[in-house]
């Protein structure tokens, strides 16, 4: 699903269809792990994926191979 190692708050907002202010609030409240680079934040793909998975309403289905 996520192919880039880091995302900007703008990219996350577009991806999740929320405002950039919402993404920044998640970061400031400690809900979404981010790295501060100057005045901007970057979020690792694995942290974004963990954030989204933690908010899923249903557990992931068992993968049987």
């Amino acid at each position: 699903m996520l192919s880039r190692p880091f995302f900007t708050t703008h990219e996350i907002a577009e991806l999740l269809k929320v405002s950039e202010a919402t993404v920044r609030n998640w970061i400031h409240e400690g809900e979404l792990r981010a790295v501060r680079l100057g005045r901007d934040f970057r979020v690792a793909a694995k942290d974004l994926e963990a954030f989204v998975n933690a908010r899923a309403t249903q557990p992931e289905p068992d993968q049987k191979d």
Side-chain angles (χ1 to χ4, degrees):
M1 175 177 121
L2 306 174
S3 61
R4 294 177 51 192
F6 285 92
F7 292 91
T8 65
T9 55
H10 178 77
E11 291 168 330
I12 294 169
E14 284 185 345
L15 184 65
L16 299 180
K17 306 293 189 237
V18 297
S19 71
E20 285 186 63
T22 297
V23 176
R24 286 191 299 272
N25 284 340
W26 289 335
I27 292 169
H28 289 296
E29 292 171 1
E31 296 180 47
L32 178 58
R33 187 171 183 262
V35 176
R36 186 177 200 111
L37 300 173
R39 294 176 58 187
D40 299 323
F41 290 99
R42 296 293 185 275
V43 176
K46 65 182 179 85
D47 292 325
L48 179 57
E49 200 162 351
F51 174 81
V52 170
N53 287 338
R55 282 149 184 78
T57 59
Q58 300 290 321
E60 277 192 61
D62 289 337
Q63 300 279 336
K64 300 202 181 203
D65 292 332

